[in-house]
């Protein structure tokens, strides 16, 4: 937790460097009204504002976002370094967390993969203070030490900075059961997520028996659904569907809850902005591709087999149909003819090329957009500029989504009732999915809308050798993709690091 000296230092800073109007502007930027502090004098306002920031764990919000924007000449980061205690975790808990983080798959790779890990956890803004080079163990200690004192994340009021990273790693399929239990225990013990129901779920799932040593600020808690609420709602009559009706057969066969969180739908629209139709030549559909950097496009090798094709090929973004079926023209970008990295279709079947210009530059996220959910980014008209790539293991029954241009037509998103049929094997993964010619080169995305594979074929290519898996797959109309875990080492050095 921040030390008392930080409160004093902030109070003195506010008195010395801010007028009454500037204090009011700073409070407004933090999301509050200075009048609510109940003070009339400058000193009183400065004292209560400083205390409020520290008490509500808005240190990260002030130092990383609001402060530099309102008063960029002040050395905000120096305040954090000098005055914040780093003793949130016990020594044993810190050591356990550092070991788990150091052994994470991304941490074992190079700086770009480590950058991707932090970015996917919503912590990209902290990377300006962390050197991603070096041994995994020492880097893991630096990351934990940097995040530990920060408090609530700007843009993610439900997460302590450390909680965002721990919760992300907890959800990765690569995380072992033993490590997952340790991570869940840390979240519960230190109350690093401001959602009691979620923490209760972790407690039950992992049979956790710890007493919290930290308490959540009540002002950050979401509204609960109480037993009285459930009792009242249960009086509403549910829809009745007769067993023999055609609808009941569909519902019985359905294996996934079709009540989707709105952020999942927003994620589809957000992600679709970075997916386009590849044409060769312009106007003739040839496949699908997606941005993995501001100007880097990934597609299947058999869509763009050589550098010679780049002179004639283009990528068309925003090629979509509205609810009436009216199709938009979209935006066309040419490809750079002098950059090409690829692997044949019998191997990894990928081609990495460069776009002339940055297709999503006008929507580029700003520092204040970091950590926002997909729905909020859509409201703001913001985008990272590319899709995040995840090298996490892909496991049986994992749900996946594919954004594609089937048959070369307007963009479609395949969501719900699509899942992985078996654990990824080397450089191939198979999934229950409907794709068409023209879908090759599409991103295969997980529930967080991270790219986990590159779709390259409806069916297996090359053909699978006879095995128990082959017999299982023959029961389905399945798609085949190349896991990003296999592709990433080949392209990592070109991916964004800032």
């Amino acid at each position: 937790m921040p030390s008392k000296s930080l409160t004093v230092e902030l109070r003195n800073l506010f008195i010395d460097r801010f007028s009454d109007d500037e204090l009011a502007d700073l409070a407004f930027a933090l999301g509050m009204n200075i009048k609510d502090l109940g003070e009339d004098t400058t000193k009183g306002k400065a004292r209560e504002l400083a205390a409020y920031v520290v008490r509500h764990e808005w240190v990260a919000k002030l130092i990383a976002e609001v402060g530099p924007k309102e008063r960029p000449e002040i050395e905000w980061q120096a305040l954090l370094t000098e005055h914040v205690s780093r003793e949130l975790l016990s020594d044993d808990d810190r050591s356990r967390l550092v070991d788990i983080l150091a052994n994470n798959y991304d941490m074992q790779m190079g700086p770009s993969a480590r950058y991707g890990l932090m970015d996917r956890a919503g912590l990209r803004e902290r990377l300006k203070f962390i050197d991603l080079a070096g041994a995994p163990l020492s880097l893991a200690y630096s990351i934990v030490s940097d995040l530990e004192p920060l408090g609530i994340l700007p843009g993610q009021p439900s997460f302590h900075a450390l909680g965002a990273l721990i919760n992300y790693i907890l959800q990765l399929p690569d995380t072992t059961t033993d490590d997952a239990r340790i991570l869940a225990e840390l979240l519960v013990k230190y109350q690093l997520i401001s959602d009691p129901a979620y923490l209760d779920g972790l407690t039950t799932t992992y049979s956790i028996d710890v007493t919290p040593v930290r308490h959540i600020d009540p002002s950050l808690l979401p509204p609960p659904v109480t037993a009285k609420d459930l009792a009242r709602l249960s009086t509403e009559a549910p829809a009745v569907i007769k067993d023999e009706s055609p609808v009941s057969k569909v519902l019985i066969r359905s294996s996934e809850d079709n009540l989707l969180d709105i952020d999942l739908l927003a994620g589809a629209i957000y992600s679709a902005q970075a997916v386009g139709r590849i044409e060769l030549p312009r106007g003739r559909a040839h496949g699908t591709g997606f941005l993995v950097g501001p100007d880097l496009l990934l597609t299947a090798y058999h869509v763009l087999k050589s550098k010679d094709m780049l002179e004639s090929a283009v990528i068309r973004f925003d090629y979509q149909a509205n609810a009436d079926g009216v199709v938009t023209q979209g935006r066309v970008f040419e490809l750079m003819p002098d950059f090409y990295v690829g692997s044949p279709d019998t191997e990894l079947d990928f081609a990495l090329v460069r776009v002339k210009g940055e297709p999503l530059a006008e929507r580029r996220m700003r520092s204040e957009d970091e950590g926002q959910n997909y729905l909020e980014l859509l409201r703001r008209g913001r985008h990272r500029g590319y899709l995040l790539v995840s090298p996490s293991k892909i496991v049986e029954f994992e749900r996946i989504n594919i954004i594609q241009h089937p048959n070369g037509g307007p963009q479609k998103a395949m969501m719900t009732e699509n899942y992985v049929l078996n654990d990824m094997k080397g450089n191939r993964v198979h999934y229950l999915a409907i794709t068409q010619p023209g879908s090759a080169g599409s991103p295969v995305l997980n529930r967080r809308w991270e790219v986990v594979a590159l779709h390259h074929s409806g069916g297996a290519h090359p053909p699978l050798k006879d095995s128990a898996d082959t017999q299982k797959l023959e029961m389905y109309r399945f798609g085949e993709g190349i896991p990003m875990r296999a592709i990433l080492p080949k392209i990592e050095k070109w991916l964004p690091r800032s």
Side-chain angles (χ1 to χ4, degrees), residues 276-435:
R277 185 177 86 161
I278 293 177
E279 302 174 358
L280 183 70
R282 178 170 178 161
R284 182 179 298 171
H286 199 63
T288 303
F290 57 96
L291 294 169
V292 293
D295 64 348
L296 285 174
L297 184 76
L298 190 64
T299 187
Y301 171 88
H302 71 268
V303 173
L304 293 176
K305 291 185 177 180
S306 72
K307 186 184 291 188
D308 296 338
M309 303 173 77
L310 302 183
E311 288 278 7
S312 303
V314 299
I315 176 80
R316 186 183 298 270
F317 293 97
D318 303 328
Y319 179 55
Q320 300 159 349
N322 70 7
D324 299 322
V326 178
V327 180
T328 60
Q329 187 177 47
R331 301 178 300 126
V332 177
F333 290 80
E334 296 179 348
L335 305 179
M336 299 289 288
D338 58 349
F339 179 85
Y340 183 89
V341 180
S343 175
D345 53 343
T346 53
E347 297 176 15
L348 298 182
D349 195 12
F350 78 83
L352 182 71
V353 300
R354 201 174 291 280
V355 181
K356 290 183 179 179
E358 298 182 7
L360 300 179
E362 293 182 356
R363 309 171 199 175
R364 181 74 60 82
M365 285 169 54
R366 301 171 182 172
S367 60
E368 59 266 29
D369 302 317
E370 294 293 339
Q372 298 292 341
N373 61 29
Y374 290 123
L375 185 59
E376 182 59 28
L377 290 174
L378 288 178
R379 288 186 181 125
R380 299 181 182 193
R382 299 296 182 198
H383 200 286
R384 180 174 280 99
Y386 52 89
L387 299 181
L388 292 176
V389 172
S390 173
S392 64
K393 183 179 180 181
I394 309 170
V395 297
E396 187 176 12
F397 301 127
E398 181 178 353
R399 297 290 175 175
I400 52 99
N401 309 299
I402 300 178
I403 298 176
Q404 55 187 304
H405 284 275
N407 290 318
Q411 195 176 68
K412 306 288 185 184
M414 187 192 70
M415 299 172 58
T416 77
E417 294 303 317
N418 311 300
Y419 58 90
V420 178
L421 292 170
N422 48 38
D423 291 358
M424 56 181 274
K425 299 282 196 304
N427 59 13
R428 293 293 188 273
V429 64
H430 300 105
Y431 34 81
L432 182 66
I434 297 176
T435 58

Side-chain angles (χ1 to χ4, degrees), residues 11-172:
R11 180 201 64 188
N12 294 340
L13 175 69
F14 294 159
I15 291 173
D16 294 340
R17 306 287 293 274
F18 288 77
S19 66
D20 278 5
D21 287 343
E22 289 170 334
L23 280 176
D25 290 341
L26 184 66
F28 180 79
L30 286 166
M32 60 178 297
N33 189 330
I34 195 75
K35 293 180 180 179
D36 292 340
L37 297 177
E39 294 289 339
D40 296 325
T41 67
T42 301
K43 288 185 178 181
K45 293 175 183 176
R47 181 187 65 248
E48 292 305 313
L49 181 58
Y52 193 94
V53 166
V54 173
R55 185 169 63 250
H56 288 75
E57 298 193 26
W58 283 4
V59 176
K61 187 173 185 178
L62 174 65
I63 290 176
E65 177 188 341
V66 175
K69 184 177 180 181
E70 294 292 317
R71 297 293 292 274
E73 76 279 6
I74 295 175
E75 295 291 335
W76 296 98
Q77 183 64 25
L79 283 173
L80 182 70
T81 303
E82 182 178 356
H83 292 287
V84 176
S85 168
R86 299 180 181 273
E87 299 303 319
L88 173 63
L89 305 181
S90 70
D91 290 342
D92 286 345
D93 287 340
R94 188 180 300 106
S95 179
R96 292 194 297 170
L97 176 57
V98 167
D99 286 342
I100 293 172
L101 179 57
N103 288 313
N104 172 267
Y105 184 85
D106 294 88
M107 293 289 287
Q108 297 294 321
M109 298 181 68
S112 288
R114 295 165 177 176
Y115 178 91
L117 172 67
M118 296 289 285
D119 198 357
R120 296 193 302 275
L123 297 164
R124 183 166 62 164
E125 266 303 290
R126 298 308 303 167
L127 294 177
K128 64 183 69 172
F129 308 113
I130 301 172
D131 182 2
L132 294 177
L137 190 62
S138 60
L139 175 58
Y141 183 83
S142 296
I143 291 173
V144 172
S145 298
D146 179 77
L147 298 179
E148 197 171 347
L150 285 180
I152 301 302
L153 276 176
Q156 297 189 78
S158 296
F159 288 90
H160 184 285
L162 199 56
L165 179 62
I166 292 174
N167 192 62
Y168 181 80
I169 298 174
L170 170 64
Q171 307 300 329
L172 295 176

Side-chain angles (χ1 to χ4, degrees), residues 215-264:
H215 298 286
I216 303 171
D217 180 351
S219 69
L220 299 175
L221 297 178
V225 179
T226 66
K228 288 184 178 180
D229 293 332
L230 293 175
R232 177 178 53 80
L233 293 171
S234 66
T235 62
E236 297 182 11
V240 176
I241 300 173
K242 296 181 179 180
D243 290 341
E244 65 271 16
S245 70
V247 174
S248 70
K249 295 178 182 179
V250 174
L251 293 178
I252 292 171
R253 189 176 62 181
S254 175
S255 61
E256 182 180 17
D257 187 352
N258 286 315
L259 294 173
L260 303 178
D261 287 321
I262 296 302
D263 196 55
L264 184 67

